[in-house]
Amino acid sequence: MTCLFVQIRCRPGAAYAVAAQIVMREIHSELYSTSGDFDLMVKLYVSDGQDIGMFINDNLLNIDGIERTYTIQTFKAF
């Protein structure tokens, strides 16, 4: 499994609705509200060999209210 952290910037006033849609899709391990340039951070896991870009595109980017995402892929836990 590959662990990803995806930071999400939402349209103004849409963070709670976006978070609710992520929760309903049951694709995340953890979901946080954050300060700074992004509104939410989601931790999720994808199967080894799965196309990460396609997974993000099919499961997150089609949620109404998301303006931008920034994905961080992890490689090794210490």
Side-chain angles (χ1 to χ4, degrees), residues 15 24-25 28-29 38 40-41 46-47 49 54 58 60-63 67-68 70 72 78:
M24 298 222 5
R25 293 174 185 218
H28 67 293
S29 169
F38 292 88
L40 302 170
M41 183 183 309
V46 296
S47 300
M54 186 71 73
D58 291 347
L60 280 177
L61 296 182
N62 57 5
I63 295 174
E67 284 188 344
R68 181 171 184 246
Y70 181 80
I72 300 166
F78 294 97

Side-chain angles (χ1 to χ4, degrees), residues 4-5 9 12-14 17-20 26 31 33-35 39-40 43 45 49 55 57 63 70-71 74:
L4 304 173
F5 291 89
R9 182 178 299 148
V18 169
E26 299 180 349
L31 177 61
S33 173
T34 60
S35 62
D39 303 298
L40 302 170
K43 178 181 178 183
Y45 293 89
F55 182 88
N57 193 54
I63 295 174
Y70 181 80
T71 302
T74 64

